[in-house]
Amino acid sequence: GEPLLVEPEFDVTVGRARLRGKIDRVEPDGEDGVIVADLKTGRNAPSKDKALENPQLGAYQLAVSEGALDLPDGTRPAGARLVFVGTDTKGPSLREQPALEPAEDGSTWAHHLVTQAADTMAASAFEARENDLCPRCPVRRSCPVQNEGRSVIP
């Protein structure tokens, strides 16, 4: 369907974190919610399981739930999707994320992720953690999590 918003910018504070960004598309869900969509041109779509808690999509849904977009009051996030537009050799693919479901305290997994990231960034030290970006990390050779980055002197 036709998008409600195309490339809207948002700026919202969640706890001690400030989230700013631009969403590719905000589409109606046919009820009182919207689906946020991020268009991707890369070849490698994440697994369907990884898309379920994709941080970027979670932040976009938070922007909707926090009222940071020019939408009618009470508009709720109804989900999100990564749309891989495809290439000459590979067709388009879609990865979907369900609507944020608030816990009893009203927070969601995306809210927890943002507040935890803000707390980590405010700390005086950082803990190295292995993740999917490690193979492409420019400081891999000096990282204590990687074999080539570990100290050889006890």
Side-chain angles (χ1 to χ4, degrees), residues 1-51:
E2 285 296 310
L4 295 171
L5 301 171
V6 176
E7 296 188 351
E9 294 185 8
F10 65 90
D11 188 336
V12 63
T13 301
V14 179
R16 65 187 341 177
R18 180 179 182 192
L19 299 177
R20 293 188 304 169
K22 187 187 294 187
I23 302 170
D24 288 334
R25 292 170 58 104
V26 179
E27 304 167 349
D29 76 340
E31 296 177 22
D32 63 347
V34 293
I35 297 169
V36 293
D38 188 50
L39 307 178
K40 298 288 190 189
T41 57
R43 294 175 176 253
N44 299 323
S47 71
K48 290 180 180 180
D49 285 343
K50 282 199 184 250

Short mmCIF file of all heavy atoms in Angstrom, two decimals, residues 1-51:
data_model
loop_
_atom_site.label_atom_id
_atom_site.label_comp_id
_atom_site.label_asym_id
_atom_site.label_seq_id
_atom_site.Cartn_x
_atom_site.Cartn_y
_atom_site.Cartn_z
N GLY A 1 0.80 -1.19 0.00
CA GLY A 1 0.00 0.00 0.00
C GLY A 1 0.85 1.26 0.00
O GLY A 1 2.07 1.21 0.05
N GLU A 2 0.17 2.37 -0.07
CA GLU A 2 0.85 3.66 -0.04
C GLU A 2 1.38 3.96 1.35
O GLU A 2 0.68 3.77 2.34
CB GLU A 2 -0.12 4.77 -0.46
CG GLU A 2 -0.42 4.80 -1.94
CD GLU A 2 0.81 5.12 -2.76
OE1 GLU A 2 1.51 6.11 -2.45
OE2 GLU A 2 1.08 4.37 -3.71
N PRO A 3 2.62 4.44 1.46
CA PRO A 3 3.15 4.78 2.78
C PRO A 3 2.49 6.02 3.35
O PRO A 3 2.07 6.91 2.60
CB PRO A 3 4.63 5.02 2.50
CG PRO A 3 4.71 5.38 1.06
CD PRO A 3 3.58 4.66 0.38
N LEU A 4 2.39 6.07 4.67
CA LEU A 4 1.91 7.27 5.35
C LEU A 4 3.02 8.32 5.39
O LEU A 4 2.75 9.52 5.27
CB LEU A 4 1.49 6.94 6.78
CG LEU A 4 0.29 6.02 6.95
CD1 LEU A 4 0.14 5.62 8.40
CD2 LEU A 4 -0.96 6.70 6.44
N LEU A 5 4.25 7.85 5.62
CA LEU A 5 5.41 8.74 5.69
C LEU A 5 6.55 8.10 4.91
O LEU A 5 6.74 6.89 4.94
CB LEU A 5 5.85 8.95 7.14
CG LEU A 5 4.83 9.54 8.12
CD1 LEU A 5 5.36 9.48 9.54
CD2 LEU A 5 4.51 10.98 7.73
N VAL A 6 7.33 8.93 4.24
CA VAL A 6 8.53 8.47 3.53
C VAL A 6 9.72 9.26 4.07
O VAL A 6 9.71 10.48 4.08
CB VAL A 6 8.39 8.68 2.01
CG1 VAL A 6 9.68 8.29 1.29
CG2 VAL A 6 7.22 7.88 1.46
N GLU A 7 10.69 8.53 4.57
CA GLU A 7 11.92 9.08 5.15
C GLU A 7 11.68 10.11 6.26
O GLU A 7 12.35 11.15 6.29
CB GLU A 7 12.82 9.65 4.06
CG GLU A 7 13.31 8.58 3.10
CD GLU A 7 14.36 9.08 2.11
OE1 GLU A 7 14.60 10.30 2.04
OE2 GLU A 7 14.95 8.22 1.42
N PRO A 8 10.74 9.82 7.18
CA PRO A 8 10.58 10.76 8.29
C PRO A 8 11.76 10.66 9.24
O PRO A 8 12.29 9.57 9.49
CB PRO A 8 9.30 10.29 8.98
CG PRO A 8 9.30 8.80 8.73
CD PRO A 8 9.86 8.66 7.33
N GLU A 9 12.18 11.79 9.78
CA GLU A 9 13.24 11.81 10.78
C GLU A 9 12.60 11.75 12.16
O GLU A 9 11.46 12.18 12.35
CB GLU A 9 14.08 13.07 10.63
CG GLU A 9 14.86 13.08 9.33
CD GLU A 9 15.81 14.26 9.21
OE1 GLU A 9 16.00 15.01 10.20
OE2 GLU A 9 16.36 14.43 8.12
N PHE A 10 13.33 11.19 13.11
CA PHE A 10 12.85 11.16 14.49
C PHE A 10 13.98 11.50 15.44
O PHE A 10 15.15 11.34 15.12
CB PHE A 10 12.22 9.80 14.85
CG PHE A 10 13.18 8.65 14.84
CD1 PHE A 10 13.87 8.29 15.98
CD2 PHE A 10 13.39 7.92 13.68
CE1 PHE A 10 14.75 7.22 15.98
CE2 PHE A 10 14.28 6.85 13.66
CZ PHE A 10 14.95 6.50 14.81
N ASP A 11 13.59 11.98 16.60
CA ASP A 11 14.53 12.34 17.66
C ASP A 11 13.77 12.09 18.95
O ASP A 11 12.80 12.78 19.24
CB ASP A 11 14.91 13.81 17.52
CG ASP A 11 16.03 14.23 18.46
OD1 ASP A 11 16.21 13.58 19.51
OD2 ASP A 11 16.70 15.24 18.16
N VAL A 12 14.17 11.07 19.70
CA VAL A 12 13.42 10.69 20.89
C VAL A 12 14.39 10.28 22.00
O VAL A 12 15.45 9.73 21.73
CB VAL A 12 12.42 9.55 20.56
CG1 VAL A 12 13.14 8.29 20.13
CG2 VAL A 12 11.49 9.26 21.72
N THR A 13 14.03 10.59 23.22
CA THR A 13 14.83 10.19 24.37
C THR A 13 14.17 9.00 25.04
O THR A 13 12.97 9.02 25.33
CB THR A 13 14.97 11.36 25.37
OG1 THR A 13 15.59 12.46 24.69
CG2 THR A 13 15.80 10.97 26.57
N VAL A 14 14.96 7.96 25.26
CA VAL A 14 14.51 6.75 25.94
C VAL A 14 15.46 6.53 27.10
O VAL A 14 16.61 6.17 26.90
CB VAL A 14 14.50 5.53 25.00
CG1 VAL A 14 14.05 4.28 25.74
CG2 VAL A 14 13.61 5.78 23.79
N GLY A 15 14.99 6.80 28.32
CA GLY A 15 15.89 6.74 29.47
C GLY A 15 16.97 7.79 29.30
O GLY A 15 16.68 8.96 29.03
N ARG A 16 18.24 7.38 29.40
CA ARG A 16 19.34 8.34 29.22
C ARG A 16 19.86 8.36 27.79
O ARG A 16 20.80 9.07 27.47
CB ARG A 16 20.46 8.04 30.21
CG ARG A 16 21.10 6.72 29.93
CD ARG A 16 22.12 6.18 30.88
NE ARG A 16 22.76 7.07 31.79
CZ ARG A 16 23.64 6.68 32.70
NH1 ARG A 16 23.96 5.41 32.79
NH2 ARG A 16 24.19 7.52 33.51
N ALA A 17 19.20 7.59 26.91
CA ALA A 17 19.63 7.52 25.51
C ALA A 17 18.81 8.46 24.63
O ALA A 17 17.62 8.64 24.84
CB ALA A 17 19.49 6.09 24.99
N ARG A 18 19.48 9.03 23.66
CA ARG A 18 18.80 9.83 22.65
C ARG A 18 18.93 9.10 21.31
O ARG A 18 20.04 8.83 20.86
CB ARG A 18 19.45 11.21 22.55
CG ARG A 18 18.79 12.11 21.53
CD ARG A 18 19.47 13.46 21.49
NE ARG A 18 18.81 14.34 20.53
CZ ARG A 18 19.32 15.48 20.13
NH1 ARG A 18 20.48 15.89 20.62
NH2 ARG A 18 18.69 16.22 19.25
N LEU A 19 17.79 8.75 20.73
CA LEU A 19 17.77 8.07 19.45
C LEU A 19 17.38 9.07 18.37
O LEU A 19 16.36 9.75 18.50
CB LEU A 19 16.75 6.93 19.46
CG LEU A 19 16.94 5.80 20.45
CD1 LEU A 19 15.79 4.81 20.35
CD2 LEU A 19 18.26 5.10 20.22
N ARG A 20 18.19 9.13 17.33
CA ARG A 20 17.87 9.98 16.19
C ARG A 20 18.08 9.15 14.93
O ARG A 20 19.00 8.34 14.86
CB ARG A 20 18.79 11.20 16.13
CG ARG A 20 18.55 12.15 17.27
CD ARG A 20 19.30 13.43 17.14
NE ARG A 20 20.75 13.19 17.00
CZ ARG A 20 21.61 14.12 16.65
NH1 ARG A 20 21.22 15.33 16.36
NH2 ARG A 20 22.90 13.85 16.57
N GLY A 21 17.23 9.38 13.95
CA GLY A 21 17.40 8.64 12.72
C GLY A 21 16.35 8.99 11.69
O GLY A 21 15.59 9.94 11.86
N LYS A 22 16.35 8.20 10.64
CA LYS A 22 15.41 8.39 9.54
C LYS A 22 14.90 7.00 9.13
O LYS A 22 15.70 6.09 8.90
CB LYS A 22 16.10 9.07 8.37
CG LYS A 22 15.17 9.46 7.24
CD LYS A 22 15.91 9.97 6.01
CE LYS A 22 16.63 11.27 6.30
NZ LYS A 22 17.21 11.86 5.07
N ILE A 23 13.60 6.85 9.03
CA ILE A 23 12.97 5.59 8.65
C ILE A 23 12.64 5.67 7.16
O ILE A 23 12.11 6.69 6.70
CB ILE A 23 11.69 5.36 9.48
CG1 ILE A 23 12.02 5.34 10.98
CG2 ILE A 23 11.01 4.06 9.07
CD1 ILE A 23 10.80 5.35 11.89
N ASP A 24 12.91 4.62 6.42
CA ASP A 24 12.63 4.66 4.99
C ASP A 24 11.14 4.83 4.69
O ASP A 24 10.75 5.69 3.91
CB ASP A 24 13.16 3.39 4.30
CG ASP A 24 14.68 3.38 4.22
OD1 ASP A 24 15.29 4.46 4.23
OD2 ASP A 24 15.25 2.28 4.16
N ARG A 25 10.29 3.99 5.32
CA ARG A 25 8.85 4.06 5.05
C ARG A 25 8.07 3.72 6.31
O ARG A 25 8.48 2.86 7.09
CB ARG A 25 8.45 3.06 3.97
CG ARG A 25 8.97 3.38 2.59
CD ARG A 25 8.75 2.24 1.62
NE ARG A 25 7.37 1.86 1.46
CZ ARG A 25 6.60 2.16 0.42
NH1 ARG A 25 7.10 2.88 -0.56
NH2 ARG A 25 5.36 1.76 0.35
N VAL A 26 6.93 4.38 6.47
CA VAL A 26 5.98 4.06 7.53
C VAL A 26 4.66 3.78 6.84
O VAL A 26 4.10 4.66 6.16
CB VAL A 26 5.84 5.23 8.54
CG1 VAL A 26 4.83 4.88 9.62
CG2 VAL A 26 7.20 5.55 9.17
N GLU A 27 4.19 2.53 6.98
CA GLU A 27 3.02 2.08 6.24
C GLU A 27 1.86 1.76 7.19
O GLU A 27 2.09 1.27 8.30
CB GLU A 27 3.38 0.83 5.43
CG GLU A 27 4.56 1.05 4.49
CD GLU A 27 5.14 -0.23 3.93
OE1 GLU A 27 4.78 -1.33 4.40
OE2 GLU A 27 5.97 -0.13 3.01
N PRO A 28 0.61 1.99 6.75
CA PRO A 28 -0.54 1.65 7.60
C PRO A 28 -0.69 0.14 7.69
O PRO A 28 -0.36 -0.58 6.75
CB PRO A 28 -1.72 2.28 6.86
CG PRO A 28 -1.30 2.34 5.43
CD PRO A 28 0.20 2.54 5.45
N ASP A 29 -1.19 -0.34 8.84
CA ASP A 29 -1.43 -1.78 8.97
C ASP A 29 -2.91 -2.13 8.72
O ASP A 29 -3.30 -3.27 8.84
CB ASP A 29 -1.00 -2.28 10.35
CG ASP A 29 -1.96 -1.92 11.46
OD1 ASP A 29 -2.76 -0.98 11.29
OD2 ASP A 29 -1.92 -2.58 12.52
N GLY A 30 -3.71 -1.13 8.40
CA GLY A 30 -5.12 -1.37 8.14
C GLY A 30 -5.99 -1.18 9.37
O GLY A 30 -7.21 -1.22 9.28
N GLU A 31 -5.36 -0.98 10.53
CA GLU A 31 -6.11 -0.73 11.76
C GLU A 31 -5.60 0.57 12.36
O GLU A 31 -5.56 1.57 11.68
CB GLU A 31 -5.96 -1.93 12.70
CG GLU A 31 -6.58 -3.20 12.12
CD GLU A 31 -6.38 -4.41 13.00
OE1 GLU A 31 -6.16 -4.24 14.21
OE2 GLU A 31 -6.43 -5.53 12.47
N ASP A 32 -5.17 0.55 13.64
CA ASP A 32 -4.69 1.78 14.27
C ASP A 32 -3.17 1.78 14.45
O ASP A 32 -2.63 2.52 15.24
CB ASP A 32 -5.37 2.01 15.62
CG ASP A 32 -5.07 0.89 16.62
OD1 ASP A 32 -4.55 -0.16 16.21
OD2 ASP A 32 -5.36 1.07 17.81
N GLY A 33 -2.50 0.94 13.69
CA GLY A 33 -1.06 0.83 13.81
C GLY A 33 -0.33 1.09 12.52
O GLY A 33 -0.95 1.28 11.46
N VAL A 34 0.98 1.13 12.62
CA VAL A 34 1.83 1.30 11.45
C VAL A 34 2.95 0.27 11.47
O VAL A 34 3.36 -0.21 12.52
CB VAL A 34 2.44 2.72 11.37
CG1 VAL A 34 1.36 3.77 11.14
CG2 VAL A 34 3.26 3.05 12.60
N ILE A 35 3.41 -0.04 10.28
CA ILE A 35 4.55 -0.93 10.10
C ILE A 35 5.70 -0.09 9.56
O ILE A 35 5.52 0.64 8.59
CB ILE A 35 4.21 -2.08 9.13
CG1 ILE A 35 3.09 -2.93 9.73
CG2 ILE A 35 5.44 -2.91 8.82
CD1 ILE A 35 2.48 -3.92 8.79
N VAL A 36 6.85 -0.16 10.22
CA VAL A 36 8.02 0.57 9.74
C VAL A 36 8.82 -0.35 8.84
O VAL A 36 8.94 -1.55 9.10
CB VAL A 36 8.88 1.12 10.91
CG1 VAL A 36 8.14 2.19 11.66
CG2 VAL A 36 9.30 0.03 11.86
N ALA A 37 9.33 0.21 7.76
CA ALA A 37 10.07 -0.59 6.78
C ALA A 37 11.41 0.06 6.50
O ALA A 37 11.50 1.28 6.33
CB ALA A 37 9.27 -0.72 5.49
N ASP A 38 12.44 -0.77 6.46
CA ASP A 38 13.78 -0.32 6.13
C ASP A 38 14.20 -1.03 4.85
O ASP A 38 14.21 -2.27 4.80
CB ASP A 38 14.75 -0.63 7.27
CG ASP A 38 16.11 0.00 7.04
OD1 ASP A 38 16.16 1.20 6.76
OD2 ASP A 38 17.12 -0.72 7.15
N LEU A 39 14.52 -0.27 3.82
CA LEU A 39 14.93 -0.84 2.54
C LEU A 39 16.43 -1.08 2.55
O LEU A 39 17.21 -0.21 2.93
CB LEU A 39 14.55 0.10 1.40
CG LEU A 39 13.08 0.53 1.36
CD1 LEU A 39 12.85 1.49 0.20
CD2 LEU A 39 12.16 -0.66 1.26
N LYS A 40 16.83 -2.27 2.12
CA LYS A 40 18.24 -2.65 2.10
C LYS A 40 18.65 -3.03 0.69
O LYS A 40 17.89 -3.66 -0.04
CB LYS A 40 18.49 -3.85 3.02
CG LYS A 40 18.17 -3.62 4.49
CD LYS A 40 19.19 -2.70 5.10
CE LYS A 40 19.04 -2.64 6.61
NZ LYS A 40 19.87 -1.61 7.19
N THR A 41 19.88 -2.67 0.34
CA THR A 41 20.39 -3.03 -0.98
C THR A 41 21.44 -4.14 -0.91
O THR A 41 21.88 -4.63 -1.94
CB THR A 41 21.00 -1.80 -1.68
OG1 THR A 41 22.03 -1.27 -0.84
CG2 THR A 41 19.95 -0.75 -1.96
N GLY A 42 21.82 -4.55 0.29
CA GLY A 42 22.83 -5.59 0.44
C GLY A 42 22.32 -6.94 -0.04
O GLY A 42 21.13 -7.16 -0.22
N ARG A 43 23.24 -7.86 -0.22
CA ARG A 43 22.89 -9.19 -0.71
C ARG A 43 22.48 -10.14 0.41
O ARG A 43 21.72 -11.07 0.18
CB ARG A 43 24.08 -9.81 -1.43
CG ARG A 43 24.47 -9.11 -2.69
CD ARG A 43 25.75 -9.72 -3.25
NE ARG A 43 26.09 -9.13 -4.51
CZ ARG A 43 25.95 -9.75 -5.67
NH1 ARG A 43 25.50 -10.97 -5.71
NH2 ARG A 43 26.27 -9.14 -6.79
N ASN A 44 23.03 -9.94 1.60
CA ASN A 44 22.85 -10.93 2.66
C ASN A 44 21.80 -10.50 3.68
O ASN A 44 22.05 -9.64 4.51
CB ASN A 44 24.19 -11.18 3.37
CG ASN A 44 25.24 -11.73 2.42
OD1 ASN A 44 24.92 -12.52 1.54
ND2 ASN A 44 26.47 -11.31 2.59
N ALA A 45 20.65 -11.11 3.60
CA ALA A 45 19.59 -10.87 4.57
C ALA A 45 19.90 -11.67 5.83
O ALA A 45 20.38 -12.79 5.75
CB ALA A 45 18.24 -11.28 3.99
N PRO A 46 19.61 -11.10 7.02
CA PRO A 46 19.82 -11.86 8.24
C PRO A 46 18.81 -13.01 8.31
O PRO A 46 17.82 -13.02 7.58
CB PRO A 46 19.55 -10.84 9.34
CG PRO A 46 18.61 -9.86 8.72
CD PRO A 46 19.01 -9.80 7.28
N SER A 47 19.06 -13.95 9.20
CA SER A 47 18.11 -15.04 9.38
C SER A 47 16.78 -14.48 9.88
O SER A 47 16.73 -13.37 10.44
CB SER A 47 18.65 -16.07 10.37
OG SER A 47 18.64 -15.51 11.68
N LYS A 48 15.73 -15.24 9.69
CA LYS A 48 14.41 -14.79 10.17
C LYS A 48 14.43 -14.62 11.69
O LYS A 48 13.82 -13.70 12.22
CB LYS A 48 13.33 -15.78 9.73
CG LYS A 48 13.10 -15.71 8.24
CD LYS A 48 12.03 -16.67 7.77
CE LYS A 48 11.89 -16.53 6.26
NZ LYS A 48 10.88 -17.41 5.70
N ASP A 49 15.16 -15.51 12.40
CA ASP A 49 15.26 -15.39 13.85
C ASP A 49 15.97 -14.11 14.28
O ASP A 49 15.55 -13.45 15.21
CB ASP A 49 16.00 -16.61 14.45
CG ASP A 49 15.13 -17.85 14.46
OD1 ASP A 49 13.90 -17.72 14.32
OD2 ASP A 49 15.68 -18.95 14.61
N LYS A 50 17.05 -13.76 13.59
CA LYS A 50 17.79 -12.53 13.94
C LYS A 50 16.94 -11.29 13.68
O LYS A 50 17.04 -10.30 14.39
CB LYS A 50 19.11 -12.44 13.18
CG LYS A 50 20.17 -13.32 13.77
CD LYS A 50 21.53 -12.87 13.32
CE LYS A 50 22.56 -13.83 13.86
NZ LYS A 50 23.38 -13.29 14.87
N ALA A 51 16.12 -11.34 12.65
CA ALA A 51 15.27 -10.19 12.32
C ALA A 51 14.23 -9.94 13.41
O ALA A 51 13.79 -8.80 13.59
CB ALA A 51 14.58 -10.41 10.98
#
